[in-house]
Amino acid sequence: DRAQAAYEGGPMSRGEVEEACLARSYPDYEALAAGGRFAALAPRLYQALLAWSAGAVQVVPHAQQEIAGE
């Protein structure tokens, strides 16, 4: 589950739970998701950001560069 991985982190990424305020209230994703409040409030909180990013953000890859000596 991507939400759990984002919250708890993993071997190659830090999780949001490393924020002390979040860790005190919700020590893991199970505690955050308990009761269904997170699932109900997350769309209301992030929907505007998601809509904005879909229309205003453009991802352009960098051109590949040759490495000296190859």
Side-chain angles (χ1 to χ4, degrees), residues 4 8 18 20 24 30 50 52 54 63:
Q4 183 173 2
E8 294 181 354
E18 291 193 30
R24 279 193 291 273
E30 184 177 331
L50 182 61
W52 169 80

Side-chain angles (χ1 to χ4, degrees), residues 16-44:
E16 294 176 15
V17 73
E18 291 193 30
E19 169 61 44
C21 295
L22 290 174
R24 279 193 291 273
S25 298
Y26 309 105
D28 55 26
Y29 183 76
E30 184 177 331
L32 177 67
R37 287 187 68 203
F38 175 73
L41 294 175
R44 292 176 58 191

Side-chain angles (χ1 to χ4, degrees), residues 32-65:
L32 177 67
R37 287 187 68 203
F38 175 73
L41 294 175
R44 292 176 58 191
L45 178 64
Y46 293 111
Q47 188 61 42
L49 179 62
L50 182 61
W52 169 80
S53 68
V57 176
Q58 181 180 9
V59 177
V60 179
H62 291 284
Q64 290 188 351
Q65 297 178 354

